[in-house]
Amino acid sequence: MTKHWELSTPSDGRPAMVHLAAADAISEVGEALQGRQTLAEALSSLVRSVGAECGMIVRSRPDGTHQRVAVHDERRGEPVRPLVSAYAAGQFGAALDRARPGSLWLGSSAAGDGALADWQGARRMREFAVLMLAASSSGRDHVELHFRRALSADLLAAVEAVLPALAQAWARRQAGIVSRAISTHRTRANATAGRPILSEANPAQLSRAEFRVCLLLSRGLSVEGVATELRLARSTVRSHLRSIYSKTGTSALAELVFRLHEAGDPEPRAGMRQL
């Protein structure tokens, strides 16, 4: 039988930095759910606060389909396998149908259909966690988190402390905000699907500076390397990246680099040969 944990606030009340970081991330999620920042930005804070490498907010339908609400991947450099799929349904099967908001499900407690294990092997991941946000006859909303290391007792305690607040914030979300995030992600992804980002046509309508950033990333440079090459502050490069993610329908650096590599080794457009 699949193990899961019903979470409540720890009774010992011991302060821990990881608890504070997770609490700050939950606050950002609450802001995003009221439309004051994007869900992708809030997810990135949540992923970092609990020490995950990547994560995804997923909406699952009763017919078995799922939609990506937001994705964040901390992987730097050339990715082996970017996070593009949801794994909860395949890992937990019908057991997930009885999941309650505020429950935590760990991938190591179930054998699954092998898809998660295959992806974990490619990315050298150790643990997979599902944070249930909402569940009803119309479907489920949840967060999927992937960890490079086994979860410590302190980390489980941190998640235990904040997950009820996360589920409550989700229940109080602004009407339509999740549907809009799904629609926006789909629209942006469709706009450049199957079309090389760094082509003469420039399907994502990148600016000159954004094109330069993408070109250097496609050649294997890190964010720091791009900043050095272009003599820009790292914060400026990351600002360009946020715009690039929006224009290309990607959600993180690993997914963007994967898309750039799909098109092979591009040549810069006319007028952009001098970097």
Side-chain angles (χ1 to χ4, degrees):
M1 181 177 178
T2 301
K3 296 180 181 178
H4 71 283
W5 288 259
E6 298 293 341
L7 303 182
S8 59
T9 304
S11 59
D12 59 19
R14 291 178 299 173
M17 290 304 295
V18 67
H19 289 220
L20 296 176
D24 286 344
I26 297 305
S27 177
E28 290 197 35
V29 173
E31 291 290 301
L33 291 171
Q34 296 305 314
R36 290 187 279 272
Q37 66 171 303
T38 68
L39 284 170
E41 290 170 334
L43 175 63
S44 69
S45 295
L46 180 61
V47 167
R48 294 185 183 114
S49 73
V50 297
E53 185 167 296
C54 51
M56 180 184 295
I57 302 176
V58 182
R59 170 158 286 181
S60 299
R61 301 295 186 185
D63 62 2
T65 62
H66 66 265
Q67 297 169 302
R68 299 193 302 174
V69 179
V71 183
H72 179 77
D73 197 329
E74 288 283 290
R75 185 69 177 264
R76 296 293 183 263
E78 182 178 350
V80 177
R81 290 268 294 275
L83 178 62
V84 296
S85 299
Y87 294 100
Q91 188 67 13
F92 300 109
L96 208 61
D97 292 339
R98 62 174 181 272
R100 298 179 182 178
S103 60
L104 168 67
W105 297 66
L106 294 180
S108 57
S109 67
D113 61 5
L116 174 63
D118 178 65
W119 185 84
Q120 285 180 319
R123 286 286 295 261
R124 297 183 180 179
M125 295 291 186
R126 289 283 303 279
E127 187 59 280
F128 170 62
V130 173
L131 314 183
M132 193 57 58
L133 303 175
S136 68
S137 59
S138 61
R140 298 185 300 268
D141 294 333
H142 64 271
V143 179
E144 300 188 3
L145 298 173
H146 298 271
F147 297 85
R148 188 167 289 276
R149 299 178 180 84
L151 304 189
S152 66
D154 283 345
L155 183 54
L156 284 172
V159 177
E160 184 176 49
V162 302
L163 184 49
L166 180 58
Q168 291 167 12
W170 194 263
R172 296 193 298 266
R173 67 189 180 276
Q174 187 182 92
I177 197 163
V178 175
S179 296
R180 289 196 296 274
I182 292 171
S183 177
T184 299
H185 182 84
R186 185 189 303 119
T187 299
R188 290 168 176 167
N190 289 344
T192 59
R195 305 173 67 189
I197 294 173
L198 295 178
S199 67
E200 292 283 344
N202 190 19
Q205 298 184 347
L206 300 174
S207 70
R208 183 185 181 91
E210 292 163 358
F211 194 98
R212 287 173 169 173
V213 169
C214 286
L215 185 61
L216 292 175
L217 289 173
S218 75
R219 294 177 176 173
L221 272 70
S222 64
V223 172
E224 292 76 11
V226 171
T228 299
E229 182 71 20
L230 298 180
R231 299 181 181 179
L232 297 174
R234 289 175 58 184
S235 59
T236 301
V237 175
R238 294 193 182 281
S239 177
H240 287 320
L241 282 172
R242 285 193 291 271
S243 177
I244 292 166
Y245 296 155
S246 176
K247 291 180 178 181
T248 60
T250 54
S251 303
L253 182 62
E255 187 178 2
L256 172 63
V257 172
F258 183 79
R259 288 282 310 279
L260 294 172
H261 286 170
E262 279 186 317
D265 187 15
E267 286 296 324
R269 293 188 300 141
M272 293 190 176
R273 296 185 181 277
Q274 296 299 320
L275 297 182

